[in-house]
Amino acid sequence: MPESKSRKKKVSTPDPQFAERAAKEAAASKSGNPVWLVPVMIGLMVLGLVWLVVYYLTGWPIPALHQWNLLIGFALIISGFGLTTQWK
């Protein structure tokens, strides 16, 4: 019985530019969060919470703003939660 021709598999040599770019992207993805992200995120959420609690208990933060103090507190909290989308 005749023997069939075997298929030679192509030996792929990676493109050096592609390998270099892939290595840089892998290093960038492993880098994680910027140093400032977590402290700012937590700080904004805590500051917003403290702003609201102080306003409800004393009416103090900025009395002339009245109910706008609620908007300021919630805006700080929402800003903190917005930064959580950048957390890796």
Side-chain angles (χ1 to χ4, degrees):
M1 180 170 251
E3 190 174 320
S4 64
K5 294 181 181 180
S6 62
R7 293 183 184 172
K8 292 184 180 180
K9 293 183 180 179
K10 291 182 181 179
V11 177
S12 64
T13 57
D15 183 18
Q17 291 177 347
F18 176 75
E20 192 176 305
R21 188 173 350 121
K24 286 181 182 178
E25 289 175 2
S29 67
K30 288 181 183 177
S31 66
N33 299 324
V35 177
W36 58 268
L37 182 72
V38 175
V40 171
M41 174 182 66
I42 292 173
L44 284 172
M45 288 189 279
V46 169
L47 181 64
L49 180 65
V50 168
W51 188 284
L52 290 174
V53 168
V54 169
Y55 173 70
Y56 270 120
L57 294 180
T58 64
W60 175 74
I62 302 177
L65 292 179
H66 302 292
Q67 298 299 318
W68 286 98
N69 282 304
L70 295 175
L71 179 67
I72 293 169
F74 282 117
L76 289 169
I77 293 172
I78 290 169
S79 301
F81 278 115
L83 285 177
T84 61
T85 62
Q86 303 300 315
W87 193 10
K88 296 176 187 170

Coordinates of all heavy atoms in Angstrom, one line a residue:
M1 N 0.8 -1.2 0.0 CA 0.0 0.0 0.0 C 0.9 1.2 0.0 O 1.8 1.3 0.8 CB -0.9 0.0 1.2 CG -1.8 1.1 1.3 SD -3.0 0.9 2.6 CE -4.4 0.6 1.6
P2 N 0.6 2.2 -0.9 CA 1.5 3.4 -0.9 C 1.2 4.3 0.3 O 0.2 4.3 0.9 CB 1.0 4.1 -2.2 CG -0.3 3.6 -2.5 CD -0.4 2.2 -1.9
E3 N 2.3 4.9 0.8 CA 2.3 5.7 1.9 C 1.9 7.2 1.5 O 2.4 7.7 0.5 CB 3.7 5.8 2.6 CG 3.6 6.4 3.9 CD 5.0 6.3 4.6 OE1 5.6 5.2 4.6 OE2 5.4 7.3 5.2
S4 N 1.0 7.8 2.3 CA 0.5 9.1 1.9 C 1.5 10.1 2.3 O 2.3 9.9 3.2 CB -0.8 9.4 2.6 OG -0.6 9.5 4.0
K5 N 1.5 11.2 1.6 CA 2.4 12.3 1.9 C 2.0 12.9 3.2 O 0.8 13.2 3.4 CB 2.4 13.3 0.7 CG 3.0 12.8 -0.6 CD 3.0 13.9 -1.6 CE 3.5 13.4 -2.9 NZ 3.4 14.4 -3.9
S6 N 2.9 13.1 4.0 CA 2.6 13.8 5.3 C 2.6 15.3 5.1 O 3.4 15.8 4.3 CB 3.6 13.4 6.4 OG 4.9 13.9 6.0
R7 N 1.7 15.9 5.8 CA 1.6 17.4 5.7 C 2.6 18.0 6.6 O 2.7 17.6 7.8 CB 0.2 17.9 6.1 CG -0.9 17.4 5.1 CD -2.2 18.0 5.6 NE -3.2 17.5 4.7 CZ -4.5 17.7 4.9 NH1 -4.9 18.4 6.0 NH2 -5.4 17.3 4.1
K8 N 3.3 18.9 6.1 CA 4.2 19.6 6.9 C 3.5 20.8 7.6 O 2.9 21.6 6.9 CB 5.4 20.1 6.1 CG 6.3 19.0 5.6 CD 7.5 19.6 4.9 CE 8.4 18.4 4.4 NZ 9.6 19.0 3.7
K9 N 3.7 20.9 8.9 CA 3.1 22.0 9.6 C 4.0 23.3 9.4 O 5.2 23.2 9.4 CB 2.9 21.7 11.1 CG 1.9 20.6 11.3 CD 1.8 20.5 12.8 CE 0.8 19.3 13.1 NZ 0.6 19.1 14.5
K10 N 3.3 24.4 9.2 CA 4.0 25.6 9.0 C 4.6 26.0 10.3 O 3.9 26.0 11.4 CB 3.1 26.7 8.5 CG 2.6 26.5 7.1 CD 1.7 27.7 6.7 CE 1.2 27.5 5.3 NZ 0.4 28.6 4.9
V11 N 5.8 26.4 10.3 CA 6.5 26.9 11.5 C 6.3 28.4 11.5 O 6.8 29.1 10.6 CB 8.0 26.5 11.5 CG1 8.7 27.1 12.7 CG2 8.1 25.0 11.5
S12 N 5.6 28.9 12.5 CA 5.4 30.3 12.5 C 6.4 31.0 13.3 O 6.7 30.6 14.4 CB 4.0 30.6 13.0 OG 3.9 30.2 14.4
T13 N 7.0 32.0 12.8 CA 8.0 32.8 13.5 C 7.3 34.1 13.8 O 6.7 34.8 12.9 CB 9.2 33.1 12.7 OG1 8.8 33.7 11.4 CG2 10.0 31.8 12.4
P14 N 7.2 34.4 15.1 CA 6.5 35.7 15.5 C 7.2 36.9 15.0 O 8.4 37.0 14.9 CB 6.4 35.6 17.0 CG 7.6 34.7 17.4 CD 7.8 33.8 16.2
D15 N 6.4 37.9 14.6 CA 6.9 39.1 14.1 C 7.5 39.9 15.3 O 6.8 40.0 16.3 CB 5.8 40.0 13.5 CG 6.2 41.3 12.9 OD1 7.4 41.4 12.7 OD2 5.4 42.2 12.8
P16 N 8.7 40.3 15.3 CA 9.4 40.9 16.5 C 8.6 42.2 16.9 O 8.5 42.4 18.1 CB 10.8 41.3 16.0 CG 10.9 40.8 14.6 CD 9.7 40.2 14.2
Q17 N 8.1 42.9 16.0 CA 7.3 44.1 16.4 C 6.1 43.8 17.1 O 5.7 44.4 18.1 CB 7.0 45.0 15.2 CG 8.2 45.6 14.6 CD 7.9 46.4 13.3 OE1 6.8 46.3 12.8 NE2 8.8 47.2 12.9
F18 N 5.4 42.7 16.6 CA 4.2 42.3 17.3 C 4.5 41.7 18.7 O 3.7 42.0 19.6 CB 3.5 41.2 16.5 CG 2.2 40.6 17.1 CD1 1.1 41.4 17.2 CD2 2.3 39.4 17.7 CE1 -0.1 40.9 17.8 CE2 1.2 38.9 18.3 CZ 0.0 39.6 18.4
A19 N 5.5 41.0 18.8 CA 5.9 40.4 20.1 C 6.2 41.5 21.1 O 5.9 41.4 22.3 CB 7.0 39.4 20.0
E20 N 6.9 42.5 20.6 CA 7.3 43.6 21.5 C 6.1 44.4 22.0 O 5.9 44.7 23.1 CB 8.2 44.5 20.7 CG 8.9 45.6 21.5 CD 9.9 46.4 20.7 OE1 10.8 45.7 20.1 OE2 9.8 47.6 20.7
R21 N 5.1 44.6 21.0 CA 3.9 45.4 21.4 C 3.1 44.6 22.3 O 2.5 45.1 23.3 CB 3.1 45.6 20.1 CG 1.9 46.5 20.3 CD 1.2 47.0 19.0 NE 1.9 46.7 17.8 CZ 1.3 45.9 16.8 NH1 0.1 45.4 17.0 NH2 2.0 45.6 15.7
A22 N 3.0 43.2 22.1 CA 2.2 42.4 23.0 C 2.8 42.4 24.4 O 2.1 42.4 25.4 CB 2.1 41.0 22.5
A23 N 4.1 42.4 24.5 CA 4.8 42.4 25.8 C 4.5 43.7 26.5 O 4.2 43.7 27.7 CB 6.3 42.2 25.6
K24 N 4.5 44.8 25.8 CA 4.2 46.1 26.4 C 2.7 46.2 26.9 O 2.5 46.7 28.0 CB 4.4 47.3 25.4 CG 5.9 47.6 25.2 CD 6.1 48.7 24.2 CE 7.5 49.0 24.0 NZ 7.7 50.0 23.0
E25 N 1.8 45.6 26.1 CA 0.4 45.6 26.5 C 0.2 44.7 27.8 O -0.6 45.1 28.6 CB -0.5 45.2 25.4 CG -0.6 46.2 24.3 CD -1.4 45.7 23.1 OE1 -1.9 44.5 23.1 OE2 -1.5 46.4 22.1
A26 N 0.9 43.6 27.8 CA 0.8 42.7 28.9 C 1.3 43.4 30.2 O 0.7 43.3 31.3 CB 1.5 41.4 28.7
A27 N 2.4 44.1 30.1 CA 3.0 44.8 31.2 C 2.1 45.9 31.7 O 1.9 46.1 32.9 CB 4.3 45.4 30.8
A28 N 1.4 46.6 30.7 CA 0.5 47.7 31.1 C -0.7 47.1 31.8 O -1.2 47.7 32.8 CB 0.1 48.4 29.9
S29 N -1.2 46.0 31.4 CA -2.4 45.4 32.0 C -2.1 44.8 33.4 O -3.0 44.8 34.3 CB -3.0 44.3 31.1 OG -2.2 43.2 31.0
K30 N -0.9 44.4 33.6 CA -0.5 43.9 34.9 C -0.2 45.0 35.9 O -0.1 44.8 37.1 CB 0.8 43.0 34.8 CG 0.5 41.7 34.1 CD 1.8 40.9 34.1 CE 1.6 39.6 33.3 NZ 2.9 38.8 33.2
S31 N 0.0 46.2 35.4 CA 0.3 47.3 36.3 C -0.7 47.6 37.3 O -0.4 48.1 38.4 CB 0.7 48.6 35.5 OG -0.5 49.0 34.8
G32 N -2.0 47.4 37.0 CA -3.1 47.6 38.0 C -3.5 49.0 38.1 O -3.5 49.7 37.1
N33 N -3.9 49.4 39.3 CA -4.5 50.7 39.5 C -3.4 51.8 39.6 O -2.3 51.5 40.1 CB -5.3 50.7 40.8 CG -6.4 49.8 40.8 OD1 -7.0 49.5 39.8 ND2 -6.7 49.1 41.9
P34 N -3.7 53.0 39.2 CA -2.9 54.1 39.6 C -2.8 54.3 41.1 O -3.8 53.9 41.8 CB -3.5 55.4 38.9 CG -4.5 54.8 38.0 CD -4.9 53.5 38.4
V35 N -1.8 54.8 41.6 CA -1.6 54.9 43.1 C -2.7 55.8 43.7 O -3.2 55.6 44.8 CB -0.2 55.5 43.4 CG1 0.0 55.7 44.9 CG2 0.9 54.6 42.8
W36 N -3.1 56.8 43.0 CA -4.1 57.8 43.6 C -5.5 57.3 43.5 O -6.4 57.9 44.2 CB -4.0 59.1 42.8 CG -4.2 59.0 41.3 CD1 -3.3 58.7 40.4 CD2 -5.5 59.0 40.7 NE1 -3.9 58.6 39.1 CE2 -5.3 58.8 39.3 CE3 -6.8 59.2 41.1 CZ2 -6.3 58.7 38.4 CZ3 -7.8 59.1 40.1 CH2 -7.6 58.9 38.8
L37 N -5.8 56.3 42.8 CA -7.2 55.9 42.5 C -8.0 55.5 43.8 O -9.0 56.1 44.1 CB -7.3 54.8 41.5 CG -8.8 54.4 41.1 CD1 -9.4 55.5 40.3 CD2 -8.8 53.1 40.3
V38 N -7.5 54.6 44.5 CA -8.2 54.1 45.6 C -8.4 55.1 46.7 O -9.5 55.3 47.3 CB -7.6 52.7 46.2 CG1 -8.3 52.3 47.4 CG2 -7.7 51.7 45.1
P39 N -7.3 55.8 47.1 CA -7.5 56.9 48.2 C -8.5 57.9 47.8 O -9.3 58.4 48.6 CB -6.1 57.4 48.4 CG -5.2 56.4 47.9 CD -5.9 55.7 46.8
V40 N -8.5 58.4 46.5 CA -9.4 59.4 46.1 C -10.8 58.9 46.0 O -11.8 59.5 46.5 CB -9.0 60.0 44.7 CG1 -10.1 60.9 44.1 CG2 -7.7 60.7 44.8
M41 N -11.0 57.6 45.5 CA -12.3 57.0 45.5 C -12.9 56.9 46.9 O -14.1 57.4 47.1 CB -12.2 55.6 44.8 CG -13.4 54.8 44.8 SD -13.1 53.2 44.1 CE -12.0 52.4 45.3
I42 N -12.2 56.4 47.8 CA -12.7 56.2 49.1 C -12.9 57.5 49.8 O -13.9 57.8 50.5 CB -11.8 55.3 50.0 CG1 -11.8 53.9 49.4 CG2 -12.2 55.3 51.4 CD1 -10.8 52.9 50.0
G43 N -12.0 58.5 49.6 CA -12.1 59.8 50.2 C -13.3 60.5 49.7 O -14.0 61.2 50.5
L44 N -13.7 60.4 48.4 CA -14.9 61.1 47.9 C -16.1 60.5 48.5 O -17.0 61.2 48.9 CB -14.9 61.0 46.4 CG -14.0 62.0 45.6 CD1 -14.0 61.6 44.2 CD2 -14.4 63.4 45.9
M45 N -16.2 59.2 48.6 CA -17.4 58.6 49.2 C -17.5 58.9 50.7 O -18.6 59.2 51.1 CB -17.3 57.1 48.9 CG -17.5 56.7 47.5 SD -17.7 54.9 47.2 CE -16.1 54.4 47.2
V46 N -16.4 58.9 51.4 CA -16.5 59.2 52.8 C -16.8 60.7 53.0 O -17.7 61.0 53.9 CB -15.2 58.8 53.5 CG1 -15.1 59.3 54.9 CG2 -15.0 57.3 53.5
L47 N -16.2 61.5 52.3 CA -16.5 63.0 52.4 C -18.0 63.3 52.1 O -18.6 64.1 52.8 CB -15.6 63.8 51.5 CG -15.7 65.3 51.5 CD1 -15.4 65.8 52.9 CD2 -14.9 65.9 50.4
G48 N -18.5 62.6 51.1 CA -19.9 62.8 50.7 C -20.8 62.3 51.9 O -21.8 63.0 52.2
L49 N -20.5 61.2 52.4 CA -21.3 60.7 53.5 C -21.2 61.6 54.7 O -22.2 61.9 55.4 CB -20.8 59.3 53.9 CG -21.5 58.6 55.0 CD1 -23.0 58.3 54.6 CD2 -20.8 57.3 55.4
V50 N -20.0 62.0 55.1 CA -19.8 63.0 56.2 C -20.6 64.3 56.0 O -21.2 64.8 56.9 CB -18.3 63.2 56.5 CG1 -18.1 64.4 57.4 CG2 -17.7 61.9 57.0
W51 N -20.5 64.8 54.7 CA -21.2 66.0 54.4 C -22.7 65.8 54.6 O -23.3 66.7 55.2 CB -21.0 66.3 52.9 CG -21.5 67.7 52.5 CD1 -22.8 68.0 52.2 CD2 -20.7 68.8 52.3 NE1 -22.8 69.4 51.9 CE2 -21.6 69.9 51.9 CE3 -19.3 69.1 52.3 CZ2 -21.1 71.2 51.6 CZ3 -18.9 70.4 52.0 CH2 -19.8 71.4 51.6
L52 N -23.3 64.7 54.2 CA -24.7 64.5 54.4 C -25.1 64.3 55.9 O -26.1 64.9 56.3 CB -25.2 63.3 53.6 CG -25.2 63.4 52.1 CD1 -25.5 62.1 51.4 CD2 -26.2 64.5 51.7
V53 N -24.3 63.6 56.6 CA -24.6 63.3 58.0 C -24.5 64.6 58.8 O -25.4 65.0 59.6 CB -23.7 62.3 58.6 CG1 -23.7 62.2 60.1 CG2 -24.0 60.9 58.0
V54 N -23.5 65.4 58.5 CA -23.3 66.7 59.3 C -24.4 67.6 58.9 O -25.0 68.3 59.8 CB -21.9 67.3 59.0 CG1 -21.8 68.7 59.5 CG2 -20.8 66.5 59.6
Y55 N -24.8 67.7 57.6 CA -25.9 68.5 57.2 C -27.2 68.1 57.9 O -28.0 69.0 58.4 CB -26.1 68.5 55.7 CG -27.4 69.3 55.3 CD1 -27.4 70.7 55.4 CD2 -28.5 68.6 54.8 CE1 -28.5 71.4 55.1 CE2 -29.6 69.3 54.5 CZ -29.6 70.7 54.6 OH -30.8 71.4 54.2
Y56 N -27.5 66.8 58.0 CA -28.8 66.4 58.6 C -28.8 66.6 60.1 O -29.8 67.0 60.7 CB -29.0 64.9 58.3 CG -29.8 64.7 57.1 CD1 -29.2 63.9 56.0 CD2 -31.1 65.2 56.9 CE1 -30.0 63.7 54.9 CE2 -31.8 64.9 55.7 CZ -31.2 64.2 54.7 OH -31.9 64.0 53.6
L57 N -27.6 66.5 60.7 CA -27.6 66.6 62.2 C -27.5 68.0 62.6 O -28.1 68.4 63.7 CB -26.4 65.8 62.8 CG -26.5 64.3 62.6 CD1 -25.3 63.6 63.2 CD2 -27.8 63.7 63.2
T58 N -26.8 68.9 61.9 CA -26.5 70.2 62.4 C -27.0 71.3 61.4 O -27.2 72.5 61.8 CB -25.0 70.5 62.6 OG1 -24.3 70.4 61.4 CG2 -24.5 69.4 63.6
G59 N -27.1 71.0 60.1 CA -27.5 72.0 59.1 C -26.3 73.0 58.9 O -26.4 74.1 58.4
W60 N -25.1 72.5 59.2 CA -23.9 73.3 59.2 C -23.1 73.5 57.9 O -22.7 74.7 57.7 CB -22.9 72.8 60.3 CG -21.6 73.6 60.3 CD1 -21.4 74.8 60.7 CD2 -20.4 73.1 59.7 NE1 -20.1 75.2 60.5 CE2 -19.5 74.2 59.9 CE3 -20.0 72.0 59.1 CZ2 -18.2 74.1 59.5 CZ3 -18.7 71.9 58.7 CH2 -17.8 72.9 58.9
P61 N -22.8 72.5 57.1 CA -21.8 72.7 56.1 C -21.8 74.1 55.4 O -20.9 74.8 55.5 CB -22.0 71.6 55.1 CG -22.6 70.5 55.9 CD -23.4 71.2 56.9
I62 N -22.9 74.4 54.7 CA -23.0 75.8 54.1 C -24.5 76.1 54.3 O -25.3 75.8 53.4 CB -22.6 75.8 52.7 CG1 -21.2 75.4 52.5 CG2 -22.8 77.2 52.1 CD1 -20.7 75.3 51.1
P63 N -24.9 76.8 55.4 CA -26.3 77.0 55.7 C -27.0 77.8 54.5 O -28.2 77.6 54.3 CB -26.3 77.8 56.9 CG -25.0 77.6 57.6 CD -24.0 77.3 56.4
A64 N -26.3 78.6 53.8 CA -27.0 79.4 52.8 C -27.5 78.6 51.6 O -28.4 79.0 50.9 CB -26.1 80.5 52.3
L65 N -26.9 77.4 51.5 CA -27.3 76.5 50.3 C -28.6 75.7 50.6 O -29.1 75.2 49.7 CB -26.1 75.6 50.0 CG -24.9 76.3 49.4 CD1 -23.8 75.2 49.1 CD2 -25.2 77.0 48.1
H66 N -28.9 75.6 51.9 CA -30.1 74.9 52.3 C -30.1 73.4 51.7 O -29.2 72.7 52.0 CB -31.4 75.6 51.9 CG -31.5 77.0 52.5 ND1 -31.6 77.1 53.8 CD2 -31.4 78.2 51.9 CE1 -31.7 78.4 54.1 NE2 -31.5 79.1 53.0
Q67 N -31.1 73.1 50.8 CA -31.2 71.8 50.3 C -30.1 71.4 49.2 O -30.0 70.3 48.9 CB -32.6 71.6 49.7 CG -33.7 71.7 50.7 CD -33.6 70.7 51.8 OE1 -33.3 69.5 51.6 NE2 -33.9 71.1 53.0
W68 N -29.4 72.4 48.7 CA -28.3 72.1 47.8 C -27.2 71.4 48.4 O -26.4 70.7 47.8 CB -27.8 73.4 47.2 CG -28.8 74.0 46.2 CD1 -29.7 75.0 46.4 CD2 -29.0 73.5 44.8 NE1 -30.4 75.2 45.2 CE2 -30.0 74.3 44.3 CE3 -28.4 72.6 44.0 CZ2 -30.4 74.1 43.0 CZ3 -28.8 72.4 42.7 CH2 -29.8 73.2 42.2
N69 N -27.1 71.4 49.8 CA -26.2 70.6 50.5 C -26.4 69.1 50.2 O -25.4 68.4 50.2 CB -26.2 70.9 52.0 CG -25.6 72.2 52.4 OD1 -24.4 72.4 52.1 ND2 -26.3 73.0 53.0
L70 N -27.6 68.7 50.0 CA -27.9 67.3 49.7 C -27.3 67.0 48.3 O -26.7 65.9 48.1 CB -29.4 67.0 49.6 CG -30.1 67.2 51.0 CD1 -31.6 67.0 50.8 CD2 -29.6 66.2 52.0
L71 N -27.4 67.9 47.4 CA -26.8 67.6 46.0 C -25.3 67.5 46.1 O -24.7 66.7 45.5 CB -27.3 68.7 45.1 CG -26.7 68.6 43.7 CD1 -27.3 67.4 43.0 CD2 -27.0 69.9 42.9
I72 N -24.7 68.4 46.9 CA -23.3 68.3 47.0 C -22.8 67.0 47.6 O -21.9 66.4 47.1 CB -22.8 69.5 47.9 CG1 -23.0 70.8 47.2 CG2 -21.3 69.4 48.2 CD1 -22.8 72.1 48.0
G73 N -23.5 66.6 48.7 CA -23.1 65.3 49.3 C -23.3 64.1 48.4 O -22.4 63.3 48.3
F74 N -24.4 64.1 47.7 CA -24.6 63.0 46.8 C -23.7 63.0 45.5 O -23.3 62.0 45.0 CB -26.1 62.9 46.3 CG -27.0 62.3 47.3 CD1 -28.0 63.1 47.9 CD2 -26.9 61.0 47.7 CE1 -28.9 62.5 48.9 CE2 -27.7 60.4 48.7 CZ -28.7 61.2 49.2
A75 N -23.4 64.2 45.1 CA -22.4 64.4 44.0 C -21.1 63.8 44.4 O -20.4 63.2 43.6 CB -22.3 65.8 43.5
L76 N -20.6 64.1 45.6 CA -19.3 63.5 46.1 C -19.4 62.0 46.1 O -18.5 61.3 45.7 CB -19.0 64.1 47.4 CG -18.6 65.6 47.5 CD1 -18.6 66.1 48.9 CD2 -17.3 65.8 46.8
I77 N -20.5 61.5 46.6 CA -20.6 60.0 46.7 C -20.7 59.4 45.3 O -20.0 58.4 45.0 CB -21.9 59.6 47.5 CG1 -21.7 60.0 49.0 CG2 -22.1 58.1 47.4 CD1 -22.9 59.9 49.8
I78 N -21.4 60.0 44.4 CA -21.5 59.4 43.0 C -20.2 59.6 42.3 O -19.8 58.7 41.5 CB -22.7 60.2 42.3 CG1 -24.0 59.8 42.9 CG2 -22.6 59.9 40.8 CD1 -25.2 60.6 42.4
S79 N -19.4 60.6 42.6 CA -18.1 60.8 42.0 C -17.2 59.6 42.4 O -16.4 59.1 41.6 CB -17.5 62.1 42.3 OG -18.3 63.1 41.9
G80 N -17.3 59.3 43.7 CA -16.5 58.2 44.2 C -16.9 56.9 43.6 O -16.0 56.1 43.2
F81 N -18.2 56.6 43.5 CA -18.6 55.4 42.8 C -18.3 55.4 41.3 O -18.0 54.4 40.7 CB -20.1 55.2 43.0 CG -20.5 54.6 44.3 CD1 -21.2 55.3 45.2 CD2 -20.1 53.3 44.6 CE1 -21.6 54.7 46.4 CE2 -20.4 52.7 45.8 CZ -21.1 53.4 46.7
G82 N -18.2 56.6 40.7 CA -17.8 56.7 39.3 C -16.3 56.2 39.1 O -16.0 55.6 38.1
L83 N -15.5 56.5 40.1 CA -14.1 56.1 40.0 C -14.0 54.6 40.2 O -13.0 54.0 39.8 CB -13.3 56.8 41.1 CG -13.0 58.3 40.8 CD1 -12.2 58.9 42.0 CD2 -12.2 58.4 39.5
T84 N -15.0 53.9 40.8 CA -14.8 52.5 41.0 C -14.9 51.8 39.6 O -14.4 50.6 39.5 CB -16.0 51.9 41.8 OG1 -17.2 52.2 41.2 CG2 -15.9 52.5 43.2
T85 N -15.4 52.4 38.6 CA -15.4 51.8 37.3 C -14.0 51.7 36.7 O -13.7 50.9 35.8 CB -16.3 52.5 36.3 OG1 -15.7 53.9 36.1 CG2 -17.7 52.6 36.8
Q86 N -13.0 52.5 37.2 CA -11.6 52.4 36.8 C -10.8 51.4 37.6 O -9.6 51.2 37.2 CB -11.0 53.8 36.8 CG -11.7 54.8 36.1 CD -11.8 54.5 34.6 OE1 -10.8 54.1 34.0 NE2 -13.0 54.7 34.0
W87 N -11.3 50.9 38.6 CA -10.6 50.0 39.5 C -10.4 48.6 38.8 O -11.3 48.0 38.3 CB -11.4 49.8 40.8 CG -10.6 49.2 41.9 CD1 -9.3 48.9 42.0 CD2 -11.1 48.8 43.2 NE1 -9.0 48.4 43.1 CE2 -10.1 48.3 43.9 CE3 -12.4 48.8 43.7 CZ2 -10.2 47.8 45.2 CZ3 -12.6 48.3 45.0 CH2 -11.5 47.8 45.7
K88 N -9.2 48.2 38.8 CA -8.9 46.9 38.2 C -8.6 45.8 39.3 O -8.1 46.0 40.3 CB -7.6 47.0 37.3 CG -7.8 47.9 36.2 CD -6.6 48.1 35.4 CE -6.7 49.2 34.4 NZ -5.5 49.5 33.7

